[in-house]
Amino acid sequence: MQRRIISENITQYIIGTPFDTGAVILHSNAPADDCDRIPHFGEELTETNNLRLTKSLSEDEKLYGLGEMLGGLNKRGRKYRCYNNDDPNHTPEKQNLYGSHPFMIFDGEETFGLFIDYPGEINIDAGFTDRSVCTIELTCSINNEVNVDIYLISGKTKSDIVHNFLTLIGSPFMPPKWAFGYQQSRWSYPTAEAVKDICAKFKELKIPCDAIYLDLDYMDDYKVFTTSQERFGDFAAFAQELLKDGFHLVPIIDPGVKVEEGYSVYEEAAKNNYFCKTFDYENKKSSGDDFVAAVWPGRTAMPDFLNPKVRQWWADLYKQFCEAGVNAFWNDMNEPALFFTKRGLEDLYQCYDDVRSRTNPGLDFFDLKDKATGLSNNREDYKRFCHNCDGLTQCHDDVHNLFGFNMVKASADGLKRHSHGQRYFLLSRSSYIGQHRYGAVWTGDNQSWWEHIIVHLRMIQSMNMCGFFFVGPDIPGFGCDADAELLIRWLQAGVFTPFLRNHAALFTRNQEPWAFDDRITDIARNVIRFRYAILPYLYAEYHNCAENLKPLIEPLSFVFKDHRCESIEDQFMFGHSAMAAPIHSQNARGRSVLVPDCKWLAWRVTDYSSRDMQVFEPGTYFFDCSLDQFLLFIKEDSLFVTAAPGQNAADAPTELTVIGLVTHSAEFTYYDDDGTTYNFEQGKYGTLRMIVTAEGSDYSVTCKYNAHAGFKNTIRRINFEIYNGRGELVRKSIKMSGDTPEAPVRR
Ligand code: MIG
């Protein structure tokens, strides 16, 4: 084993010849020295040549991280698996979902971070089998050797450790501003007419919305990079028409390519050997034939995204869409999900024959049943194909967790290349560490269950630790039928996740904001409009957090010392100034909230202009909230920025309303840019540094506007609503004369 110092806080341990996953961007050419162990851990090789790391856990030790996993925010007491998995049934015992994020924080006698940069299967037993032991086992079948990079990350606090980890893997991508708006989806809006009706409804009901998703049915026969002439006609004209109305189309692109003569995407890839090849696991050889599995298009071949040439080719397939003005996509099924293979089906038929030939089949029925349900996403199938990695044949199973990541890399590359300087939007189901630099992630096929709201509240906190700030669940649940109250409560929670999309499965009840009754439509409108009202804060904070490598959404225990925060998993920091405490149980007309550490201004929101505000000292309180009310807390000596909502996220506000609780002094750096291009990278953006300082019973308010390199400011006035520690309000206002703030006046 070798050791290399990457930075003051990061040490790399290198075992064998690790596969370069692409997760890490911070490299060091410091020389590596030999070392014989990884601090904190015992290591051993199992009988099957797996690497097993072991760490003893102190009685009160806590574990965090692991990104997209079920279970608590504190990961202790459960088992987890890093092996990307299309599992549409997120029941509590499940060990793996669509993404693998092997970053953890151990918070015991010592507090440190661990990142295992490994593309194959990892099994984590976080004190389940033996409550005082955590084991981490890497399935090491790559040439039957152990090859892995392991990073230890130090920091003064958990929050610092996350920050240091983000220096290793980089900051998240910057989506266009419209992507911070409300997005509407369902499987499927099957025709151009259906989509237009949905758009018209948003306009008619004055519900803000920025995107409409196209699921499988927009394609011709599930052939990727085609559109159905019959159902969508002139696709480019259709996309343009929507865009003029303020709606961005987001079509789905799956990885699998339909095997069909005459279909140019298939023919080109087949001719150039761009597909994954079948692999003989026993003899560790490829036959050279294309691997074919059944997915949506029927017989489907899988592009070999681990091959850079294939990524190039795939990237350019987006060109025609980009030319039509469509540069927002979702990449689904990229674990990759496989319904079945011919080989799997043959095994099933064999089993069927075996059972049939028995005179008294009895319990053999269960063999048959398990065989049938086990056909999908079968581990044996993942061993039956391989990649061409720079000329080296790599069994898929060994690098399984990188398939989606590399598909996204290829897609992002193409979208960036063909968007003529416009920012793209890309959403993926499968993910690996590092993918946040290229796109967003949604948390897959959840259900319209109340239980799933809190699952996602925890998950988004853990995903933020892994760099995925732009993340969110299907609201109000993908599978099963949602009821009106679930829609409202989940939307109220969704206000606080950058990715806010309503999406539903085929055959489920409609769940658009107007799908229930007028009262529910009104409440939903208020919630969505509230989201648009806080976009100035969200957009600025997303940018600030990305730039400073600090998660947008953080657990309370990462920020406050109060030990009670460690037991709170359904409240979280939303940027630096605010805390969310969503209601997530059915029929609840309020909830308990821990008000940690300092004074907070509790805002019981009915709509963005409502002002039900009260100052609270630290403690636990019950807050009443009728269905149309939800909670937002503004921290002492912090500022929160709002504006009147538009119909689209791009509608630039002319007035800002800054709400704060100030006992000493507070400041906020408001950030804005054109929202559509990468000019901000060249310094074309505006910042407005606001400082509010208490002076007796009054406040001094200063603003400093900095327009860089010709960014056009739209703000004409900034209204301050400042509460003191007793909840008394002082209003001030600053007019902008051009780009220069005038002296504040009391209102
Ligand atoms: O096998 O495209 O998670 O969002 O609507 C299901 C159809 C395939 C799974 C995705 C879901 C999407 C659905 N897809």
Side-chain angles (χ1 to χ4, degrees), residues 62 64 73-74 158 461 555-572 579 591-600 616-621:
K62 291 160 286 282
Y64 297 97
L73 180 62
N74 178 351
K158 286 170 280 188
Q461 296 176 70
L556 297 191
S557 76
F558 281 39
V559 182
F560 303 109
K561 292 230 162 58
D562 185 338
H563 77 280
R564 290 175 295 182
C565 290
E566 286 160 0
S567 302
I568 304 286
E569 304 197 337
D570 63 352
Q571 298 175 217
F572 52 84
M579 175 175 76
R591 61 163 287 172
S592 294
V593 176
L594 173 69
V595 174
D597 211 54
C598 57
K599 287 184 177 162
W600 292 79
F616 286 84
E617 300 280 341
T620 301
Y621 305 90

Side-chain angles (χ1 to χ4, degrees), residues 531-686:
R531 160 63 170 236
Y532 279 67
I534 69 169
L535 282 178
Y537 173 80
L538 176 56
Y539 192 69
E541 272 298 82
Y542 184 91
H543 176 269
N544 295 341
C545 288
E547 195 167 80
N548 301 324
L549 299 169
K550 283 281 188 190
L552 180 75
I553 285 170
E554 261 198 306
L556 297 191
S557 76
F558 281 39
V559 182
F560 303 109
K561 292 230 162 58
D562 185 338
H563 77 280
R564 290 175 295 182
C565 290
E566 286 160 0
S567 302
I568 304 286
E569 304 197 337
D570 63 352
Q571 298 175 217
F572 52 84
M573 288 302 288
F574 171 59
H576 288 77
S577 306
M579 175 175 76
I583 290 169
H584 51 81
S585 17
Q586 188 166 27
N587 298 318
R589 290 295 174 263
R591 61 163 287 172
S592 294
V593 176
L594 173 69
V595 174
D597 211 54
C598 57
K599 287 184 177 162
W600 292 79
L601 181 64
W603 183 0
R604 187 162 41 190
V605 178
T606 320
D607 68 59
Y608 78 95
S609 60
S610 68
R611 289 294 185 272
D612 180 350
M613 315 295 236
Q614 209 184 328
V615 173
F616 286 84
E617 300 280 341
T620 301
Y621 305 90
F622 188 87
F623 290 83
D624 289 307
C625 285
S626 48
L627 184 59
D628 58 344
Q629 294 177 320
F630 62 102
L631 300 166
L632 169 70
F633 294 82
I634 300 171
K635 200 176 151 200
E636 183 174 353
D637 285 329
S638 302
L639 303 176
F640 190 77
V641 186
T642 69
Q647 180 71 20
N648 288 111
D651 297 347
T654 54
E655 274 191 32
L656 295 179
T657 298
V658 178
I659 304 171
L661 164 60
V662 183
T663 59
H664 299 90
S665 173
E667 68 172 87
F668 185 79
T669 302
Y670 170 72
Y671 165 94
D672 197 18
D673 57 26
D674 65 24
T676 58
T677 73
Y678 293 96
N679 290 346
F680 71 94
E681 289 174 350
Q682 268 71 56
K684 281 197 185 170
Y685 57 84

Side-chain angles (χ1 to χ4, degrees), residues 86 88 98 185-188 214-217 219 252 254 295-296 330 332-333 335 337 339 429 442-446 474 478 501 503-506:
D86 167 24
Y98 314 89
S185 183
R186 100 155 273 129
W187 178 13
S188 292
L214 297 180
D215 210 325
L216 296 169
D217 301 291
M219 287 179 271
I252 197 169
D254 286 359
V295 202
W296 289 105
W330 48 321
D332 186 22
M333 305 292 274
E335 295 70 32
F339 292 168
R429 192 170 70 177
W442 93 100
T443 55
D445 297 348
N446 61 2
D474 286 349
F478 174 74
R501 180 179 73 153
H503 180 50
L506 191 66

Side-chain angles (χ1 to χ4, degrees), residues 401-415:
N401 296 337
L402 295 180
F403 188 86
F405 181 18
N406 282 286
M407 177 189 184
V408 161
K409 257 165 98 167
S411 301
D413 184 36
L415 292 173

Side-chain angles (χ1 to χ4, degrees), residues 492-536:
Q492 291 168 345
V495 159
F496 303 106
T497 50
F499 181 56
L500 171 57
R501 180 179 73 153
N502 182 323
H503 180 50
L506 191 66
F507 305 128
T508 60
R509 183 183 189 183
N510 287 345
Q511 55 184 37
E512 290 81 7
W514 54 82
F516 301 93
D517 57 52
D518 289 350
R519 166 99 178 114
I520 293 300
T521 309
D522 289 343
I523 299 175
R525 178 193 300 108
N526 280 341
V527 178
I528 296 170
R529 284 170 67 97
F530 182 80
R531 160 63 170 236
Y532 279 67
I534 69 169
L535 282 178

